[in-house]
Amino acid sequence: MLLIDCPFCGTRPETEFRCGGEAHIARPADPSALDDGAWAEHLFVRSNPRGLHAERWVHAHGCGRWFNAVRDTFTDRFVETYKAGEQPSHPIDDARA
Amino acid sequence: MRRFSLASLLSEAVGGHQGWGRQWRAPEPKPSYDVVIVGGGGHGLATAYYLATVHGITNVAVVEKGWIGGGNTGRNTTIIRSNYLYDESAHLYEHALKLWEGLSQELNYNVMFSQRGVLMLAHNIHDIQSFKRHVYANRLNGIDNEWLSAEECKAFCPPLNISRDARYPVLGGALQRRAGTARHDAVAWGYARGADARGVDILQNCEVTGVRRDASGAAIGVETTRGFIGAKRVGVVAAGNTSRVMDMAGVRMPLESYPLQALVSEPVKPVFPCVVMSNAVHAYISQSDKGELVIGAGTDQYTSYSQQGGLHITTHTLDAICEIFPQFTRMRMLRSWGGIVDVTPDRSPIIGRTPVQNLFVNCGWGTGGFKATPGSGHVFAHTLATGEPHPINAPFTLDRIRTGRLIDEAAAAAVAH
Amino acid sequence: MAQPFRLPSGGRVDRATPIRFTFDGRTIEGFAGDTVASALLANGVHLVGRSFKYHRPRGILTHGSDEPSALLQVDRGPGKIDPNNRATVVEARNGLATTSLNRWPSLGFDVGAVNDLLSPVFVAGFYYKTFMWPRSFWDKVYEPVIRAAAGLGVAPQVPDADAYANRHAHCDVLVVGGGPAGLAAALAAAKTGKRVILADEQPEFGGSLLHETGASIDGQSAEAWRAAAIEELDGYESVTLLPRTTAFGYYNHNHVALTERVTDHRESPAKGAPRERLWQVRAAEVVLATGAHERPLVFADNDRPGVMLAESVRVFINRYGVAPGRRIVFVTSGASAYAAAADAKAAGLEVVMVDLRPERDCASEAADLRLMGVEVLTGQTVIGTKGRKRVAGLVVAPCANGTVGARRVIACDCVGMSGGWTPAVHLFSQSRGKLAYDEGRDAFLPGVSAQAERSAGAAAGVYDLASCLATGFAAGAEAAGATETRAFAASPTRIGFTPVRDLPTDADPAKVRAFVDFQNDVTAKDLKLAMREGFESIEHVKRYTTTGMATDQGKTSNMNALGIVSKALNRPLPAIGTTTFRPPYTPVTFGALVGPARDALFDPIRATPIHEWAAEHGAAFENVALWRRAWYFAKPGEDMHAAVVRECRAVREGVGLFDASTLGKIEVVGPDAAEFMNRMYVNPWTKLGVGRCRYGLMLKEDGYILDDGVVARMAEDRFHVTTTTGGAPRVMNHMEDYLQTEWPDLDVFLTSTTEQWAVIAVQGPKARDVIAPLVSGIDLSNEAFPHMSVREGAICGAPCRLFRVSFTGDLGYEINVPADYGRAVWEAVFAAGEPYGITPYGTETMHVLRAEKGYIIVGQETDGTVTPDDVGLAGMIAKAKKDFVGKRSLARPDVVASGRKQLVGLATETASLVLDEGAQIVADPNQPIPMKMLGHVTSSYFSANCGRSIALALVADGRALMGRTLHVTTPTGFAPATVCDPVFFDAEGGRIHA
């Protein structure tokens, strides 16, 4: 069970959180402007790296806030957590690692 | 290939078993092959085997970064069934199940396919509706699957607790009698031995580090830790690592890799006659030939390549097991482990062409790939041999995420694979 | 004579407290402090089991949790029987009944031992090569026989009579292992004031100090030092001591799981005390002082009862006061066995020492032992053993440069063997630390850490006592953030060994069976066969031969297997690889892992404020998500069908009362509330007037229906949203996600109010008449309060939000009152309705009534692949909205293509026939299999109000098939049914506006 540092509450066990998948995939301002391929890419294609991965978490059984984290998907170690809307201070990996 | 039989075993017994040769060679890589298969799991080895036996293509290499069968092939709970809802999935898994039924004889390798029956428990009215939908659909597709009352479930699986007072009482179940389990390692070894005997090179400890493409963008081979290996066609069958390999060819995939855990108990005398799955409480259980209770847990919620998950996932699974089988609380967990499962948006596999010429992919089996091994290899071999999908894997395109023609068994039924 | 092999003195057992238990029906006497193994040995019992495959007689190999052979079924009373207990771990006490495993009819005469004769056939992996013909024989003959032969003990048959507990704990320093290194670590950490947990799998702390009776530390006896250390640790408030507690799993982020055995060793445990307790410890820092395991030697017939590990011989003598034999031959390739031999000699036993090393490599310890009058043979190899059910002799021969000399048989009744030591790096490896092979110590040692831990003592390959203490102390201090180190003065320890693999022999190699994995009956020959067949990775060897996969998980066998493979392939040992260590370190009961999470604690039951009333009035309940909902209210003599028919009629003809409290409710509030709703739902919200309601449909981004429910506008900036019962958390999460992460600029607050409101649905033509006398502040007239509107007022004096909505198609109200008023208001409405024959109804009637009207239920008519148009709700979509969640996906090629399944009604030709929900639909029932399926039945009921069965179905292009006869599967065949409009009752819809 991971330990996760909620930027609002501090460090709590994973069971208080829910993971929301890859972060920094902004919903297009006008989805209707995207062709089917670009929309499918937005909806379904993920970088899925073995290495540093920016991902979304929500402190579901806590403050209820969404935030982002950078975690190494090979070691499962968190590098940092930060508030939604902010950018990570660590470069993140693509699927290469 | 030295034939395996009771006679050969007895004759070797006399000579202290000195006469058995390697089940597959350990060759050096050739400069190039007609087909290079990336990934030496069951699916990749089966693909090589059927390329050789069905299509006569024997100039084939299977490239494996570790030891064959070391990924999800050797880490799953070995459940085999074909009672899927949608025609596309049903045909694919039934194709596999029919191959399973003759596989030991076909490979001359006892893969211990045991048709002990898979019983899926219904715990609420929604489950009943869903399972009956499956039972009826399967019937019209010629696939065995039958509805059992709670009492019939108990008769089929005596350890089952069908008390009405349970938190989630058993209201009935769907039983596929032809379904069952197999010896997972033997499947990899059997296919490897069969493929090797026909000329396929199995290259272990050979990790792919790049996919080489020519000026037109077509794949022409793979870079590996044992040097460049040319290929007319490349088939990627890398399960949890598919995103990484495909990324080497510049193809981004609709995949996420999750830890999936399983565990076994200490071995005990026969106590559990079949496979039981319960989706409502998230548990599946069977007993291996060795006597261990084999129990599958769920995936963790985050992507990971660590082959390790949280204890709370396994404890929750055991909560569920002991809810249905309260007598098992005194059993002991002997071993637990994790695999990396690659999951697509609709949790159905992707088998076919990619945007890169001569590069093909077979991935996205999620938590349910083992059961499909022979069928997956068979249709992927067809795809690699002809450049076109077999009718059975034609619906399982990469492009379906664009068109919306998803094959979402889980959404349809909330059924784990 | 009782306990003939109990030594006259010595040991930690309490000779004043005799105990008795049974083994295979025979009474065994021992003393408090004995394990079952030590008590059996005290009585001269060495044969305690039969092996897995060959049914070879097996004895006691070790003294601890690494025991592969001595496994027993233990009966502690009704509901307390379990298999595969290690005799070396189970604490002996009065009342235990133990039995040996895997033998029939008896341990002494075991028919299965015939397998041993067939062992030339039953080699590694033989089953992959045969049992294939004829095909049908696998399921019917071969597999049942194999299964019956396999397995060890018998699984429990009845529910467990014991309970289990869970505890979570945090600490600054967790020390695993209470031997000298662990004690020193705990002392160093405790001195800093940090919170320390010290856990050890043994009943007493001390580890090797419990049997190092001759050792001294800092000028006092090891026992005195041990006692003082424990007393000091016990004195710290900040220290928790956990004996009988095994750390079995090291998970991410220093999450360590331990099991504490609380009552198994007690004759009369405190009432309510759990059998075991699972500790889940989150430690800032961890010290692993888990010790080391001794390696058996691999020689022919090394599995005879009486052959055990050298250190175990020493433990039985020193710690339990038991002689494992009168004449003991030690055979070793290292120095530590000399301490055992010396102690055995000092205990008055006959001792012979056989050293595999040449004289020059063991001259010092050999000389010391010879001084005690012990014969020491050096430069030897072991050819085999004599005896069958108990070792009677060891066959040795001098061996130099691979040349085996003349054999000599040394008569004995016990062999103590030592092939060196393997640090217990299991937890380190589980923590994902990288192991490093140390050639000098022929072992994998902890290398680079992945988590906040460090290893000390034997676990780190440090074997001498003074260094164990010093590394332990330093590790404890470092873990506690201190830098203190200290040296310890301790008596010298005999350390160092020469790695040996399978021992040289002059016997026919085809006949030699030298066991590597004692439980799974894997011999060195099996390993070599696997290599001949191309299995070269240690993982392949392991899986092919099953070595290391027994219940000891290879503690005694892994290094020997690795060494043999390495030697045979002539590759350095690290190139063979080590198998990955996975939890658990030792087997853990499911019960400990499950803890109290059974029945209602498995999943909590949610119940509404009206639940008890329903239970008192005869309701049957169904599970819906976590909720228990009233399903139907059968009167005496009624079955479900009769009750539902009565309830359905009552609502249509008079008035019914329904508990809708489980519906999810979300309050959406803020200046941008309407805009937010516009983005989340397909419907338009801007123009919805205050006091008005609208049916809302919500999609996932992939365009498929996620949820639905009536939404009321309470104010310009306030919506009262309802969701399905099961979907409430999902919808709330979905909304929060978009609000926080996509549109943080919107000024909106979301509050889940599901449990704040009790919802009482009053439905039927008389509904207004029933509630009118109770309601104040609301004009109930049709003109003032039309269908799909909401008013705030009071009912029975309680504040309420009164909805005029209907899921039945009849005049109806849903009374929302604060949950605490729920039951009182319900009872008041029920009383007020009695003159009208008010009838409480359950979910089944609710389902029938809504199906009569063709209203969908999300999750029944929809399944996660259904769009609004599929269920005929495309008209709900606001055409003018540029965007909402899911809109883009509705334009994907296969979503707009023809052939999609559409919601229709089905009328069976036989009016009384109720189709199965889930039944499949075809056009031609006589077509060959596989058939072309057009769709399936989503809902199906007998409708008393329609006088026939009704069904809803999703059918490919169904809306174009009105009037067509299709064929629907039944349990025995097909039934014809006509496609019709999904509205079966009051198609004009007038009743709802009454």
Side-chain angles (χ1 to χ4, degrees):
Chain A
M1 196 196 302
L2 307 178
L3 263 187
I4 302 173
D5 186 12
C6 170
F8 305 96
C9 305
T11 303
R12 298 286 188 278
E14 180 196 333
T15 42
E16 292 185 14
F17 298 84
R18 213 173 50 249
C19 188
E22 186 168 355
H24 305 299
I25 301 174
R27 190 171 187 273
D30 180 8
S32 67
L34 271 58
D35 67 20
D36 291 320
W39 180 243
E41 169 107 5
H42 166 74
L43 279 186
F44 299 127
V45 173
R46 297 293 177 261
S47 63
N48 196 29
R50 190 176 87 167
L52 296 186
H53 182 237
E55 59 196 17
R56 296 154 12 94
W57 288 87
V58 60
H59 194 183
H61 302 286
C63 64
R65 302 284 292 272
W66 281 92
F67 60 92
N68 297 323
V70 174
R71 182 177 54 89
D72 185 324
T73 61
F74 185 61
T75 64
D76 288 331
R77 246 181 307 194
F78 283 99
V79 174
E80 61 176 324
T81 57
Y82 51 99
K83 293 175 182 172
E86 295 176 356
Q87 289 297 313
S89 55
H90 290 78
I92 53 178
D93 293 341
D94 215 318
R96 274 176 288 268
Chain B
M1 187 173 87
R2 174 84 183 275
R3 218 179 140 67
F4 289 162
S5 67
L6 182 59
S8 65
L9 189 65
L10 290 174
S11 80
E12 276 299 327
V14 175
H17 298 275
Q18 296 296 314
W20 297 114
R22 298 184 68 98
Q23 296 195 0
W24 56 88
R25 296 162 297 129
E28 286 303 310
K30 291 191 246 174
S32 74
Y33 294 88
D34 291 339
V35 178
V36 165
I37 294 162
V38 180
H43 290 235
L45 293 163
T47 304
Y49 175 83
Y50 292 114
L51 274 172
T53 55
V54 177
H55 304 281
I57 300 173
T58 57
N59 186 26
V60 173
V62 177
V63 176
E64 165 56 46
K65 72 182 165 79
W67 36 281
I68 59 167
N72 294 339
T73 300
R75 294 166 184 272
N76 71 89
T77 51
T78 80
I79 296 172
I80 294 163
R81 63 183 180 89
S82 68
N83 51 352
Y84 280 67
L85 176 64
Y86 291 122
D87 293 349
E88 296 90 338
S89 330
H91 293 152
L92 176 60
Y93 290 103
E94 178 64 13
H95 182 55
L97 182 52
K98 289 212 170 91
L99 290 169
W100 276 115
E101 286 176 323
L103 196 59
S104 292
Q105 291 70 31
E106 157 94 26
L107 296 178
N108 180 233
Y109 208 103
N110 190 354
V111 300
M112 305 184 189
F113 177 48
S114 169
Q115 295 186 287
R116 359 190 6 88
V118 172
L119 175 63
M120 301 167 82
L121 300 178
H123 294 281
N124 55 47
I125 291 162
H126 180 266
D127 282 350
I128 296 175
Q129 293 161 351
S130 170
F131 288 5
K132 287 197 172 170
R133 188 179 168 195
H134 281 69
V135 166
Y136 282 124
N138 292 152
R139 189 171 99 195
L140 302 189
N141 268 324
I143 295 170
D144 79 300
N145 194 9
E146 60 197 274
W147 173 255
L148 301 188
S149 68
E151 291 70 27
E152 289 166 329
C153 290
K154 173 84 179 167
F156 189 74
C157 181
L160 191 62
N161 170 24
I162 58 166
S163 160
R164 287 273 156 180
D165 301 329
R167 175 66 182 89
Y168 294 109
V170 174
L171 304 182
L175 171 65
Q176 184 175 30
R177 292 183 193 270
R178 288 164 62 233
T181 57
R183 173 85 185 109
H184 52 11
D185 293 325
V187 176
W189 301 338
Y191 274 121
R193 174 167 164 268
D196 174 271
R198 289 162 178 85
V200 172
D201 281 356
I202 293 163
L203 307 173
Q204 301 187 86
N205 297 309
C206 182
E207 181 166 6
V208 169
T209 55
V211 177
R212 193 180 286 182
R213 299 169 63 180
D214 66 11
S216 73
I220 55 167
V222 291
E223 314 284 351
T224 78
T225 50
R226 295 173 72 175
F228 172 74
I229 302 173
K232 293 187 184 138
R233 283 184 176 143
V234 175
V236 176
V237 202
N241 286 296
T242 302
S243 290
R244 300 175 59 223
V245 177
M246 294 301 287
D247 195 63
M248 294 171 193
V251 180
R252 282 166 53 81
M253 297 294 291
L255 291 173
E256 290 186 293
S257 296
Y258 292 94
L260 179 69
Q261 298 182 72
L263 63 99
V264 294
S265 74
E266 294 181 330
V268 284
K269 291 292 174 194
V271 63
F272 207 84
C274 58
V275 181
V276 168
M277 305 175 64
S278 167
N279 299 300
V281 299
H282 304 293
Y284 33 113
I285 177 170
S286 63
Q287 187 175 18
S288 71
D289 283 342
K290 203 179 166 209
E292 298 157 332
L293 295 178
V294 182
I295 293 170
T299 55
D300 282 82
Q301 56 173 332
Y302 48 83
T303 63
S304 178
Y305 289 80
S306 65
Q307 296 191 327
Q308 184 186 53
L311 176 63
H312 60 293
I313 303 292
T314 34
T315 56
H316 183 72
T317 295
L318 288 173
D319 294 350
I321 291 292
C322 294
E323 190 61 23
I324 312 172
F325 305 102
Q327 66 273 37
F328 288 159
T329 49
R330 295 185 86 87
M331 293 291 293
R332 296 189 196 88
M333 175 169 83
L334 173 61
R335 193 165 60 242
S336 67
W337 64 91
I340 311 168
V341 297
D342 46 323
V343 179
T344 63
D346 58 2
R347 284 147 285 194
S348 284
I350 294 167
I351 318 168
R353 282 191 285 260
T354 72
V356 173
Q357 184 83 31
N358 298 335
L359 180 67
F360 299 80
V361 71
N362 180 353
C363 67
W365 292 94
T367 60
F370 178 73
K371 68 174 75 69
T373 304
S376 162
H378 190 265
V379 299
F380 195 49
H382 177 99
T383 308
L384 282 166
T386 64
E388 296 293 327
H390 187 283
I392 287 176
N393 67 308
F396 294 89
T397 62
L398 178 56
D399 192 47
R400 71 181 186 273
I401 66 160
R402 181 186 65 81
T403 65
R405 186 171 289 274
L406 302 184
I407 307 161
D408 200 336
E409 293 276 337
V415 170
H417 286 240
Chain C
M1 186 180 107
Q3 307 193 46
F5 287 83
R6 183 75 65 183
L7 292 165
S9 66
R12 308 182 68 83
V13 292
D14 178 3
R15 291 174 191 254
T17 310
I19 54 106
R20 289 159 163 253
F21 62 95
T22 64
F23 171 68
D24 281 346
R26 169 183 164 190
T27 297
I28 302 289
E29 293 184 4
F31 295 124
D34 265 325
T35 61
V36 166
S38 68
L40 287 170
L41 291 176
N43 290 277
V45 178
H46 278 256
L47 171 63
V48 295
R50 292 276 177 167
S51 68
F52 197 85
K53 196 156 120 186
Y54 303 131
H55 290 250
R56 304 219 347 153
R58 288 286 157 80
I60 295 160
L61 180 68
T62 75
H63 64 276
S65 63
D66 49 346
E67 176 61 38
S69 295
L71 301 181
L72 304 175
Q73 192 93 5
V74 173
D75 180 346
R76 295 182 173 86
K80 299 184 177 185
I81 307 176
D82 46 286
N84 306 352
N85 290 275
R86 288 151 294 171
T88 51
V89 169
V90 177
E91 294 177 53
R93 65 162 168 83
N94 288 324
L96 290 185
T98 68
T99 41
S100 54
L101 308 180
N102 213 34
R103 81 290 187 277
W104 184 85
S106 73
L107 184 55
F109 177 73
D110 175 20
V111 168
V114 68
N115 284 4
D116 203 27
L117 301 175
L118 295 173
S119 66
V121 180
F122 294 170
V123 292
F126 76 96
Y127 29 73
Y128 298 126
K129 294 178 174 132
T130 183
F131 301 137
M132 288 181 267
W133 302 269
R135 209 193 80 179
S136 64
F137 269 41
W138 175 253
D139 284 331
K140 294 193 178 68
V141 181
Y142 303 134
E143 192 185 38
V145 169
I146 290 173
R147 280 177 176 264
L152 291 165
V154 178
Q157 308 291 312
V158 297
D160 200 334
D162 276 314
Y164 300 81
N166 276 186
R167 186 176 290 184
H168 292 260
H170 293 260
C171 66
D172 299 306
V173 181
L174 169 66
V175 181
V176 181
L183 286 173
L187 286 169
K191 279 170 48 161
T192 66
K194 294 282 179 77
R195 292 171 304 166
V196 176
I197 295 176
L198 173 64
D200 192 281
E201 64 178 356
Q202 296 279 335
E204 289 185 284
F205 290 101
S208 61
L209 301 182
L210 298 171
H211 65 267
E212 292 263 9
T213 43
S216 66
I217 299 170
D218 286 346
Q220 53 188 333
S221 75
E223 173 56 22
W225 184 89
R226 187 192 75 89
I230 291 161
E231 192 184 338
E232 180 180 338
L233 289 170
D234 218 10
Y236 291 107
E237 285 281 333
S238 54
V239 174
T240 304
L241 296 176
L242 296 176
R244 293 190 179 87
T245 303
T246 306
F248 67 84
Y250 200 134
Y251 297 89
N252 271 319
H253 302 176
N254 264 13
H255 177 221
V256 181
L258 311 91
T259 43
E260 179 186 4
R261 288 167 294 282
V262 183
T263 56
D264 266 357
H265 63 288
R266 293 191 189 283
E267 240 173 280
S268 31
K271 201 168 156 50
R275 178 185 183 214
E276 293 174 2
R277 180 180 290 119
L278 176 73
W279 287 76
Q280 297 196 59
V281 175
R282 192 73 78 161
E285 298 282 343
V286 174
V287 176
L288 298 173
T290 44
H293 294 118
E294 195 168 24
R295 295 178 201 170
L297 290 167
V298 182
F299 55 84
D301 301 328
N302 57 346
D303 62 328
R304 291 295 170 214
V307 179
M308 57 176 66
L309 294 173
E311 190 79 354
S312 299
V313 171
R314 189 178 182 211
V315 168
F316 286 118
I317 293 170
N318 289 349
R319 182 164 161 194
Y320 298 102
V322 169
R326 300 276 181 227
R327 185 175 162 83
I328 304 176
V329 181
F330 287 92
V331 53
T332 185
S333 67
S336 64
Y338 283 80
D343 287 350
K345 179 73 179 167
L349 306 172
E350 278 185 68
V351 173
V352 175
M353 171 59 79
V354 176
D355 202 318
L356 307 174
R357 299 173 295 174
E359 180 76 22
R360 63 175 180 279
D361 291 349
C362 55
S364 148
E365 50 263 33
D368 288 351
L369 199 58
R370 285 179 184 130
L371 275 180
M372 293 180 74
V374 173
E375 182 185 10
V376 180
L377 307 172
T378 59
Q380 301 286 308
T381 189
V382 181
I383 306 296
T385 58
K386 297 285 180 192
R388 177 159 173 80
K389 291 177 193 165
R390 173 86 184 264
V391 68
L394 188 70
V395 186
V396 302
C399 177
N401 307 318
T403 311
V404 178
R407 297 182 181 190
R408 171 181 162 188
V409 178
I410 308 172
C412 63
D413 57 0
C414 175
V415 173
M417 60 179 166
S418 177
W421 293 85
T422 307
V425 293
H426 304 68
L427 291 176
F428 172 80
S429 174
Q430 286 180 25
S431 80
R432 311 190 69 213
K434 257 195 149 71
L435 293 168
Y437 179 68
D438 182 293
E439 200 171 346
R441 278 169 280 199
D442 189 48
F444 287 95
L445 299 182
V448 181
S449 287
Q451 302 202 40
E453 52 71 40
R454 76 274 304 132
S455 299
V462 174
Y463 298 124
D464 79 280
L465 182 54
S467 302
C468 278
L469 292 161
T471 59
F473 191 89
E478 181 194 271
T483 54
E484 193 185 350
T485 59
R486 56 161 293 200
F488 291 81
S491 49
T493 313
R494 293 206 183 274
I495 62 168
F497 63 91
T498 302
V500 290
R501 309 306 178 194
D502 44 334
L503 302 188
T505 179
D506 59 0
D508 175 0
K511 299 226 166 102
V512 168
R513 283 198 290 158
F515 286 86
V516 175
D517 185 313
F518 288 77
Q519 189 183 113
N520 275 354
D521 277 341
V522 182
T523 63
K525 205 161 52 182
D526 287 317
L527 300 178
K528 288 171 184 169
L529 171 62
M531 287 180 275
R532 268 202 302 287
E533 295 196 81
F535 297 89
E536 295 178 342
S537 153
I538 192 64
E539 282 287 353
H540 274 160
V541 173
K542 174 176 145 182
R543 287 160 180 265
Y544 192 64
T545 63
T546 74
T547 189
M549 300 187 83
T551 58
D552 67 319
Q553 288 289 285
K555 290 186 184 68
T556 50
S557 59
N558 275 347
M559 274 310 286
N560 278 336
L562 266 176
I564 289 166
V565 172
S566 161
K567 189 170 100 177
L569 294 176
N570 195 24
R571 284 189 215 153
L573 201 141
I576 309 299
T578 181
T579 58
T580 317
F581 293 94
R582 300 284 185 191
Y585 173 66
T586 52
V588 178
T589 60
F590 290 1
L593 294 166
V594 170
R598 300 284 321 284
D599 302 327
L601 292 179
F602 169 64
D603 257 353
I605 294 172
R606 296 179 78 179
T608 74
I610 296 142
H611 182 92
E612 290 305 320
W613 187 95
E616 290 157 18
H617 288 75
F621 292 91
E622 67 160 332
N623 286 311
V624 182
L626 290 176
W627 293 96
R628 284 270 155 88
R629 298 195 74 180
W631 192 10
Y632 57 91
F633 291 82
K635 292 194 164 172
E638 276 184 340
D639 61 6
M640 175 173 169
H641 178 77
V644 170
V645 163
R646 175 179 51 74
E647 291 171 16
C648 284
R649 285 219 174 95
V651 175
R652 294 279 182 232
E653 290 164 10
V655 60
L657 191 59
F658 177 71
D659 179 6
S661 303
T662 63
L663 283 185
K665 293 166 276 286
I666 299 167
E667 198 88 342
V668 178
V669 184
D672 297 321
E675 174 59 19
F676 178 70
M677 292 294 292
N678 280 336
R679 296 186 192 184
M680 294 307 307
Y681 282 83
V682 307
N683 323 66
W685 299 100
T686 313
K687 291 181 182 159
L688 181 69
V690 171
R692 296 293 299 178
C693 302
R694 177 163 289 159
Y695 171 76
L697 195 59
M698 173 180 267
L699 310 183
K700 292 177 292 177
E701 200 68 281
D702 63 9
Y704 301 124
I705 293 172
L706 172 65
D707 207 80
D708 69 350
V710 168
V711 177
R713 192 164 201 169
M714 306 308 300
E716 276 301 316
D717 64 349
R718 180 179 292 267
F719 291 85
H720 177 124
V721 171
T722 67
T723 75
T724 60
T725 293
R730 195 159 56 227
V731 172
M732 181 73 185
N733 296 337
H734 181 71
M735 285 184 167
E736 275 288 355
D737 189 350
Y738 277 88
L739 179 59
Q740 288 185 38
T741 67
E742 300 292 351
W743 310 311
D745 53 310
L746 292 185
D747 192 355
V748 177
F749 291 91
L750 306 174
T751 309
S752 169
T753 55
T754 301
E755 305 237 345
Q756 271 56 51
W757 298 106
V759 183
I760 299 159
V762 187
Q763 300 279 315
K766 303 292 183 193
R768 186 184 290 114
D769 300 333
V770 171
I771 66 167
L774 309 176
V775 173
S776 51
I778 301 172
D779 179 351
L780 293 179
S781 72
N782 218 357
E783 300 69 37
F785 190 18
H787 177 56
M788 292 303 269
S789 49
V790 64
R791 297 289 180 270
E792 290 186 270
I795 185 161
C796 311
C800 87
R801 285 180 180 175
L802 186 62
F803 286 68
R804 177 154 176 208
V805 290
S806 168
F807 198 43
T808 60
D810 262 287
L811 169 66
Y813 298 91
E814 290 186 1
I815 303 162
N816 284 246
V817 291
D820 287 349
Y821 295 109
R823 176 156 182 175
V825 171
W826 173 278
E827 287 180 351
V829 174
F830 186 69
E834 271 183 305
Y836 303 92
I838 195 165
T839 301
Y841 66 94
T843 51
E844 186 65 16
T845 290
M846 178 269 281
H847 277 109
V848 177
L849 296 174
R850 65 87 206 176
E852 290 173 349
K853 292 296 297 177
Y855 299 153
I856 67 161
I857 287 185
V858 169
Q860 186 156 348
E861 271 63 44
T862 73
D863 66 5
T865 65
V866 173
T867 67
D869 184 58
D870 295 344
V871 285
L873 294 176
M876 296 284 163
I877 299 172
K879 302 288 180 298
K881 285 201 295 191
K882 194 161 161 253
D883 189 19
F884 55 81
V885 173
K887 179 178 168 76
R888 175 64 186 81
S889 290
L890 295 179
R892 290 185 294 168
D894 275 318
V895 178
V896 297
S898 65
R900 289 193 65 85
K901 289 171 184 165
Q902 297 172 331
L903 185 73
V904 294
L906 283 181
T908 46
E909 272 182 18
T910 310
S912 60
L913 176 68
V914 179
L915 297 168
D916 268 354
E917 288 168 346
Q920 295 286 335
I921 300 160
V922 299
D924 170 14
N926 298 314
Q927 64 186 302
I929 281 173
M931 292 196 186
K932 166 85 183 144
M933 286 172 258
L934 300 177
H936 74 284
V937 174
T938 59
S939 293
S940 175
Y941 311 96
F942 182 78
S943 164
N945 295 308
C946 299
R948 57 160 300 125
S949 72
I950 59 170
L952 300 175
L954 284 167
V955 177
D957 287 326
R959 289 197 286 270
L961 299 177
M962 289 297 160
R964 277 275 301 275
T965 296
L966 301 176
H967 299 269
V968 184
T969 55
T970 66
T972 52
F974 290 89
T978 307
V979 179
C980 62
D981 190 87
V983 182
F984 293 91
F985 184 82
D986 186 32
E988 303 74 31
R991 297 172 67 103
I992 211 162
H993 299 289

